[in-house]
Amino acid sequence: MPGYHPQDIEKKWQAHWKDHHTFRADNAADKPKYYALDMFPYPSGAGLHVGHPLGYIASDIVARYKRLRGFNVLHPMGFDSFGLPAEQYAIQTGQHPAITTEQNISTYIRQLSALGFSYDWSREIRTSDPAYYKWTQWIFLKLFNSWYNLDTDRAEPLKTLLDKFASNGSAGIRAAGDTDERHDFTAGQWQGFSEKQRLQAVHPYRLAYQQDTYVNWCPGLGTVLSNDEVKDGLSERGGFPVERRLMPQWNLRITAYADRLLRGLDALDWPDAVKEMQRNWIGKSIGASVRFPVYLRTADGDMKPQPEEIEVFTTRVDTIFGATFLVLAPELDLTLNLGERAAAQADYSPEASQTYSELQAYVKTATNRSERERQTDVKSVSGAPTGSYVQNPFTLEFLPVWTADYVLAGYGTGAVMGVPSGDQRDWLFATHFALPIRQILDGQQHLDQQADPTKEGRYVNSGFITGLTYDEATEQLRLRLRANRVGEPKITYRIRDAIFGRQRYWGEPIPIYYKDGVAYGVAEADLPLVLPEIDEYKPTETGEPPLARAQDWLYKGKYPYELSTMPGWAGSSWYYLRYMDPHNADRFVGEEAEAYWQNVDLYLGGAEHATGHLLYSRFWHLFLKDLGLVTTPEPFQKLINQGMILGRSNFVYRLNNHWLSRDRANDSYRIVSNDEANLPVIFVSKSFYDAMTQQIDNPEQHPILPRFFQQLSEIENRVRQQYPDLDLQTDPVTAPVDSYASISALHTDVNIVENEVLDVEAFKNWREEYVNAEFILEENGTYICGTEVEKMSKSKYNVVNPDTLIERYGADALRLYEMFLGPLEQFKPWNTNGMSGVAGFLKKFWRLYHPQDGTFAVTEEPAAPAELKALHKAIRKVEEDIERFSFNTTVSALMITVNELTALECHKRAILEPLVVLLSPYAPHLAEELWLQLGHAPGSISTAAYPEFREEFLVEDVVNYPVAINGKVREQLQFPATATPQEIEAAVRATDVLERFAEGKPAKKVIVVPGRMVNIVV
């Protein structure tokens, strides 16, 4: 082969890998296993840009390296193919989402294959395939038919709960969940219950249950959205308004696993930042529950006790003497209930009626804000009084009850005691509404400026704990809470149960049907419950989910199905298990396959999934472990979050409103629109833009502006001749330079820019409105673009398609370059210009095997010591770097090695054969081709052995010693590496170094630093 042609080589080997199933993993190998997994991609219509493959390349390098080390490697790929984007496209076009999804997947597979990834495509899965989501539905039914036993601290089948009901009724049962939703009954009553009554009694214990829940409802999309899908009160997709609405929703009881999810983090090799995000999301708080009796003020001013007590959870029970108000979450039913009763107690006086009206208005506004928005908005202060009161159980003071959107119904009890001296949000609230702020510790300072949450000092203004320290006071209060029966110690979690239903079409149907208004699970034998065909993909005219459009969609022909579908994270919560055994029709994963692969050894993906996918997957895995269906406690042992590749945006600079038409009769000007004439848009090159945006007193004397004026004048004259009837005049922009504000920097397609030079003709053809564009160019006749590093986005035209780069440089060059950009976990700017350097390295690597005229010329000569040294340095470096996932330094090391071997003119098999194995995880196509030329079987480099590192080849025969006299280096001498300090000293004394550099003065001392230097003191 006369030269290195990556495109031909790469297509050849990709076809070979596909035809020979080179990377197929074996579920019964006697090798050690290694499971490398990329996070499940959603196949968007835009396909891949160069930022997407970063993690895929890294995982593929590890997978290929582990095969060289003798592992049986599972490296699969599939698609998270349900989701809102495909459904929105279906609503707009009427095309079934399955069609666009299939098209998008085909594009992804083509692009992934072109990058040479060693995926076992025989294991490909898609969440929208009924053969896959049959098992997603099956897992849901297991959740539906399980409860969490707090005594055993695990999930159990409902049968164990039903046995308890039959023998003892509901007495003594400790189950995870909301006890307020459950009812007490005896064993005798249970025996007398009808089927419907039994199901209703069991439902609040289930791990998958239905309940009225506040959700983010988006009327424009006709569905519920997760918090992650709402930004600033609008849907992330489409920008539609989102409101908080109470709706019946399916939930999964992830809260039952809160403490186990928290504890399990300690054993995981994950980034600390991700583990901390999960800890914060779970939000374990140790504190106390305190009950405040409710009172209403009558029309004559008396306080009238009410039947309710408001329970407050606090982590600082020591601050209860500083409570000056109580705040309820706006979405609690109790909030408006108390407000209405307070108005009635005051005989609906004008003041009481006004208070209630303002409360109603506030609750409506507050409940329409997303929880995320309410949590993150720490600047604005809002609230409304309910008109009711509670009594502090220790001070017996009556505290006003307010509502405010910084209190959430789902955290704690939805009620907070306001202690403005110790909590900043309470302080802001009290300051805004002129509520009292009471100091409770002598160590608190500057309470007129902000809250002070200190625990230092001794308590003041605090009843029986006055004078005590924090630890002393806390212990006394815990004792008093129990003794007075007004509270008890308690642990709470911030995490809420996961809303599981979505009012969408393109998702897994929830396998539930309704009989007599009660939910039943579809029989496992009737799975999968297949998504039905419908005529439109939007909600019905009456607001029902799209599945309500399905004709005659009934279980057993008579019972209506659940109309919600599962959320996007349902199928992705267990997909890693299906990869282990994707064609098993009898089980979601075979027992032997799961026992062999166990869990994922290396998981690569974005940090944005920390509190979504990663948390839900851990929850599902723990549940499956409880039922004995998997053997490991965690799904992903090691996690790496790859950084983002940032786009390098390019800008062109447009002169705005340049063309003016003169009305001579009125001596005025008007802007000429393109409706009147197809006048050219004028773009100025970057150096002119830089000059024109400065304040310049004498533009005529500027180094480059006169050239700008000359080119602009030429353009204007040419256009005037072309449009004589318009009486065109120059824009005032050509007059004083300080009026150049009418210039816009516009994004342009980075694919028509190289080394910041714009392809002018390609730019004209890029957008129809630029076909007649004129350009004011640099002195050398080029148009220079501006640059900025930003997130890759279609709207910024800075998306670089890997197909283009593969066609130009080859897939191996793209793989190497993405790794070479910097550490895997860091954000890195993309610059296509750097591709040429990596492509040059691969050509240089090729020439080690094909010197001079390009023919293969590897010799059988024995390797020289210098060549062996270069090779074994690389063997050790590549191994160490891959094991610690430092891929950029490996690329640098290989470049250094090739330079050393090129300088040594090394073309020897003893060196080049192991060298190509080192390169193979990074540039597999080139490595396969050279491996074949070295005489090996086609495609066999994947099963070659990783070269053995031998320390002796790095041992130097001689060592170069700098020789210094009184600290100043005067000479360089070589000694055998085995020479002792005494031998070196004797040899130095025997030389003429002292005679030449110390004027013959004798040496007082000779200091030998072994392997480093010699210093002679005279």
Side-chain angles (χ1 to χ4, degrees):
M1 186 177 290
Y4 170 51
H5 302 287
Q7 293 77 8
D8 298 334
I9 291 173
E10 290 169 2
K11 290 177 182 176
K12 166 186 172 180
W13 288 109
Q14 288 162 14
H16 178 92
W17 297 331
K18 181 179 180 181
D19 294 342
H20 292 81
H21 309 288
T22 302
F23 308 114
R24 180 169 290 181
D26 188 349
N27 278 2
D30 56 2
K31 299 178 180 179
K33 69 94 181 182
Y34 192 85
Y35 188 174
L37 183 61
D38 302 303
M39 282 191 185
F40 224 10
Y42 173 78
S44 73
L48 297 174
H49 62 62
V50 294
H52 293 130
L54 181 68
Y56 302 161
I57 296 169
S59 68
D60 193 60
I61 289 169
V62 174
R64 288 177 177 274
Y65 166 76
K66 289 295 183 179
R67 291 190 192 96
L68 298 174
R69 303 298 310 206
F71 285 83
N72 178 30
V73 176
L74 175 56
H75 189 38
M77 176 52 71
F79 301 96
D80 191 8
S81 48
F82 274 132
L84 188 57
E87 180 164 318
Q88 285 303 109
Y89 188 76
I91 292 172
Q92 295 164 10
T93 64
Q95 191 175 45
H96 198 288
I99 297 174
T100 54
T101 299
E102 178 63 36
Q103 293 169 346
N104 296 345
I105 288 175
S106 296
T107 299
Y108 266 61
I109 291 176
R110 177 186 60 77
Q111 291 185 302
L112 292 169
S113 298
L115 280 158
F117 296 133
S118 61
Y119 292 131
D120 180 355
W121 283 108
S122 70
R123 295 175 183 256
E124 180 199 344
I125 57 177
R126 304 176 183 185
T127 55
S128 56
D129 180 356
Y132 178 84
Y133 69 69
K134 165 187 177 178
W135 297 107
T136 309
Q137 294 172 336
W138 181 85
I139 295 172
F140 173 83
L141 288 176
K142 292 296 182 187
L143 286 157
F144 180 68
N145 291 312
S146 297
W147 68 295
Y148 199 92
N149 188 339
L150 292 175
D151 289 329
T152 60
D153 197 22
R154 59 190 291 271
E156 296 178 4
L158 278 179
K159 183 181 182 307
T160 64
L161 178 66
L162 301 182
D163 290 344
K164 291 177 182 291
F165 286 166
S167 59
N168 298 306
S170 60
I173 292 176
R174 297 180 64 247
D178 188 355
T179 56
D180 292 340
E181 296 291 322
R182 300 168 186 160
H183 303 288
D184 296 332
F185 50 86
T186 65
Q189 289 174 315
W190 171 258
Q191 297 297 338
F193 281 171
S194 66
E195 179 185 36
K196 180 177 181 179
Q197 287 174 319
R198 287 189 176 190
L199 289 172
Q200 290 173 331
V202 167
H203 193 80
Y205 292 85
R206 297 181 187 271
L207 289 183
Y209 65 95
Q210 196 176 38
Q211 186 181 62
D212 285 347
T213 307
Y214 274 99
V215 296
N216 300 314
W217 172 251
C218 180
L221 295 175
T223 188
V224 168
L225 300 177
S226 69
N227 287 334
D228 291 338
E229 296 170 314
V230 181
K231 307 292 182 186
D232 300 323
L234 302 175
S235 63
E236 188 175 37
R237 177 166 293 275
F240 298 104
V242 176
E243 61 189 55
R244 298 284 291 169
R245 181 180 291 186
L246 191 64
M247 297 176 64
Q249 284 292 322
W250 282 95
N251 296 264
L252 298 188
R253 210 178 295 280
I254 190 174
T255 51
Y257 287 86
D259 203 54
R260 290 170 65 186
L261 288 167
L262 200 60
R263 295 197 309 266
L265 290 170
D266 295 336
L268 296 178
D269 185 5
W270 286 18
D272 290 338
V274 173
K275 293 200 283 189
E276 192 60 27
M277 288 172 71
Q278 288 209 358
R279 290 189 182 102
N280 291 336
W281 191 265
I282 296 168
K284 182 176 182 178
S285 298
I286 301 174
S289 171
V290 185
R291 292 181 290 276
F292 290 75
V294 177
Y295 286 80
L296 297 178
R297 190 185 297 277
T298 63
D300 56 10
D302 294 332
M303 285 293 184
K304 182 178 180 181
Q306 300 298 300
E308 297 96 347
E309 290 181 322
I310 296 178
E311 183 181 356
V312 169
F313 172 78
T314 176
T315 59
R316 291 288 304 273
V317 68
D318 60 295
T319 65
I320 194 168
F321 288 93
T324 58
F325 58 94
L326 189 141
V327 187
L328 295 176
E331 57 268 42
L332 290 180
D333 292 337
L334 181 63
T335 302
L336 285 178
N337 183 288
L338 287 179
E340 184 177 17
R341 275 192 278 155
Q345 284 290 327
D347 292 335
Y348 290 103
S349 66
E351 294 81 4
S353 298
Q354 178 68 20
T355 297
Y356 182 50
S357 296
E358 290 174 356
L359 176 66
Q360 289 178 301
Y362 182 79
V363 167
K364 182 178 180 181
T365 301
T367 53
N368 279 335
R369 299 183 73 196
S370 71
E371 289 188 0
R372 172 169 292 183
E373 185 181 2
R374 287 160 59 181
Q375 285 178 295
T376 56
D377 182 11
V378 296
K379 294 182 179 179
S380 59
V381 178
S382 65
T386 65
S388 60
Y389 298 83
V390 292
Q391 189 176 47
N392 188 316
F394 290 125
T395 67
L396 303 182
E397 292 176 287
F398 291 106
L399 310 179
V401 178
W402 288 66
T403 186
D405 62 6
Y406 74 89
V407 180
L408 304 177
Y411 179 65
T413 62
V416 168
M417 63 177 192
V419 183
S421 67
D423 181 273
Q424 185 62 19
R425 293 202 78 160
D426 291 346
W427 185 92
L428 291 169
F429 191 85
T431 302
H432 185 79
F433 290 107
L435 297 169
I437 299 174
R438 180 180 300 146
Q439 182 177 359
I440 53 172
L441 275 158
D442 59 16
Q444 288 178 320
Q445 297 180 356
H446 311 300
L447 294 181
D448 58 331
Q449 301 173 29
Q450 62 184 12
D452 185 350
T454 185
K455 298 177 183 177
E456 302 299 322
R458 294 186 178 273
Y459 287 87
V460 296
N461 304 320
S462 295
F464 61 85
I465 64 170
T466 297
L468 301 182
T469 64
Y470 169 76
D471 291 336
E472 294 168 343
T474 302
E475 181 61 26
Q476 284 294 315
L477 282 162
R478 285 174 179 166
L479 293 173
R480 290 287 186 103
L481 284 173
R482 282 180 168 158
N484 295 355
R485 297 183 179 180
V486 295
E488 56 275 322
K490 190 174 182 181
I491 297 175
T492 66
Y493 298 87
R494 181 177 291 111
I495 191 171
R496 262 72 56 79
D497 284 342
I499 298 173
F500 196 67
R502 297 290 187 270
Q503 287 62 51
R504 302 174 184 164
Y505 171 72
W506 192 234
E508 299 94 330
I510 295 178
I512 292 291
Y513 68 95
Y514 295 92
K515 184 171 67 172
D516 194 19
V518 176
Y520 288 76
V522 170
E524 291 180 9
D526 294 329
L527 298 178
L529 172 57
V530 177
L531 202 59
E533 296 289 335
I534 58 176
D535 56 353
E536 284 189 89
Y537 306 105
K538 57 186 180 182
T540 66
E541 289 71 15
T542 57
E544 292 180 293
L547 286 180
R549 298 179 179 276
Q551 297 295 315
D552 301 320
W553 196 49
L554 301 168
Y555 186 57
K556 304 295 186 182
K558 54 182 179 179
Y559 300 117
Y561 283 115
E562 168 63 47
L563 299 180
S564 297
T565 54
M566 298 187 193
W569 53 266
S572 63
S573 289
W574 73 280
Y575 75 107
Y576 59 94
L577 292 168
R578 190 62 178 171
Y579 279 139
M580 298 176 184
D581 198 14
H583 308 297
N584 192 326
D586 301 321
R587 205 172 186 273
F588 75 111
V589 58
E591 292 182 78
E592 292 182 0
E594 191 278 331
Y596 175 73
W597 293 111
Q598 295 185 350
N599 58 8
V600 177
D601 296 288
L602 173 64
Y603 200 29
L604 267 157
E608 67 273 14
H609 300 291
T611 55
H613 160 64
L614 288 170
L615 196 59
Y616 296 137
S617 293
R618 295 183 62 221
F619 159 45
W620 278 40
H621 196 90
L622 281 170
F623 167 71
L624 294 171
K625 179 72 165 60
D626 284 350
L627 297 192
L629 298 171
V630 297
T631 56
T632 60
E634 290 284 346
F636 315 117
Q637 188 55 40
K638 181 170 183 63
L639 172 71
I640 295 179
N641 295 136
Q642 80 271 14
M644 186 182 295
I645 288 184
L646 302 173
R648 185 179 175 87
S649 298
N650 285 118
F651 296 88
V652 290
Y653 303 101
R654 182 186 67 194
L655 288 181
N656 297 329
N657 304 335
H658 182 76
W659 301 109
L660 303 178
S661 177
R662 183 177 181 184
D663 183 344
R664 294 185 180 276
N666 298 317
D667 194 24
S668 61
Y669 300 90
R670 64 180 178 84
I671 298 171
V672 182
S673 70
N674 278 351
D675 293 337
E676 298 176 71
N678 192 20
L679 293 170
V681 181
I682 299 176
F683 294 92
V684 300
S685 190
K686 186 175 187 302
S687 64
F688 299 116
Y689 171 77
D690 291 342
M692 292 154 62
T693 52
Q694 300 171 1
Q695 293 294 325
I696 300 171
D697 295 331
N698 299 305
E700 296 80 7
Q701 299 177 12
H702 192 273
I704 67 169
L705 281 180
R707 189 154 32 87
F708 161 73
F709 293 131
Q710 179 184 350
Q711 290 189 55
L712 182 61
S713 178
E714 292 172 357
I715 293 171
E716 290 170 341
N717 290 335
R718 189 164 60 248
V719 173
R720 285 195 189 97
Q721 292 173 9
Q722 189 174 354
Y723 298 92
D725 298 335
L726 286 177
D727 195 10
L728 295 174
Q729 303 295 317
T730 59
D731 188 303
V733 75
T734 61
V737 178
D738 59 7
S739 64
Y740 282 131
S742 188
I743 300 177
S744 294
L746 307 175
H747 285 90
T748 188
D749 186 354
V750 297
N751 296 291
I752 57 176
V753 180
E754 184 171 359
N755 292 321
E756 320 321 339
V757 176
L758 179 70
D759 183 334
V760 169
E761 291 305 314
F763 180 80
K764 288 183 177 182
N765 295 324
W766 176 51
R767 300 267 292 270
E768 184 178 354
E769 64 264 36
Y770 298 151
V771 67
N772 295 322
E774 293 276 356
F775 299 85
I776 297 179
L777 306 174
E778 304 289 338
E779 191 171 13
N780 62 2
T782 62
Y783 186 98
I784 304 299
C785 295
T787 64
E788 187 174 327
V789 174
E790 304 177 286
K791 181 179 178 180
M792 278 197 181
S793 166
K794 288 188 293 183
S795 65
K796 302 180 188 300
Y797 306 109
N798 64 354
V799 171
V800 179
N801 191 325
D803 298 350
T804 304
L805 299 179
I806 291 171
E807 182 179 346
R808 182 171 182 181
Y809 298 103
D812 284 342
L814 179 57
R815 290 168 62 108
L816 276 169
Y817 183 58
E818 293 219 8
M819 294 297 97
F820 187 58
L821 283 173
L824 179 64
E825 296 89 346
Q826 292 183 7
F827 282 39
K828 299 167 283 287
W830 179 265
N831 186 353
T832 300
N833 300 333
M835 284 286 297
S836 58
V838 174
F841 158 71
L842 291 175
K843 291 177 182 177
K844 197 168 187 178
F845 193 98
W846 175 269
R847 286 196 295 273
L848 288 174
Y849 303 77
H850 303 81
Q852 297 175 355
D853 61 357
T855 58
F856 185 74
V858 174
T859 71
E860 302 299 328
E861 298 176 63
E867 296 165 340
L868 288 167
K869 180 180 178 182
L871 171 66
H872 283 267
K873 280 195 304 183
I875 292 173
R876 182 170 64 179
K877 179 65 173 170
V878 171
E879 178 181 1
E880 290 175 349
D881 285 353
I882 293 182
E883 292 286 359
R884 58 191 179 92
F885 310 101
S886 179
F887 305 106
N888 60 310
T889 51
T890 297
V891 178
S892 299
L894 288 171
M895 289 178 172
I896 292 169
T897 302
V898 169
N899 287 338
E900 291 175 348
L901 295 176
T902 300
L904 293 169
E905 298 184 3
C906 175
H907 308 294
K908 300 169 183 176
R909 177 184 294 274
I911 301 298
L912 299 187
E913 190 166 271
L915 182 66
V916 76
V917 176
L918 297 185
L919 180 72
S920 63
Y922 289 82
H925 309 89
L926 173 58
E928 287 277 24
E929 184 66 22
L930 294 175
W931 192 248
L932 178 67
Q933 294 180 15
L934 286 164
H936 299 281
S940 63
I941 197 169
S942 295
T943 54
Y946 188 81
E948 180 186 358
F949 168 68
R950 293 175 61 181
E951 183 76 39
E952 63 263 30
F953 291 127
L954 301 189
V955 175
E956 302 282 357
D957 293 331
V958 295
V959 177
N960 191 52
Y961 278 83
V963 179
I965 297 177
N966 289 343
K968 188 173 184 180
V969 176
R970 296 293 192 177
E971 181 70 285
Q972 300 282 339
L973 297 176
Q974 283 189 341
F975 298 100
T978 57
T980 65
Q982 294 78 11
E983 292 171 338
I984 293 172
E985 179 180 347
V988 169
R989 288 181 180 276
T991 66
D992 61 352
V993 171
L994 289 172
E995 184 178 338
R996 287 187 292 122
F997 297 105
E999 300 175 354
K1001 296 177 182 177
K1004 293 181 180 179
K1005 185 186 294 184
V1006 177
I1007 303 169
V1008 178
V1009 182
R1012 299 287 301 276
M1013 70 174 298
V1014 178
N1015 187 32
I1016 304 171
V1017 180
V1018 298

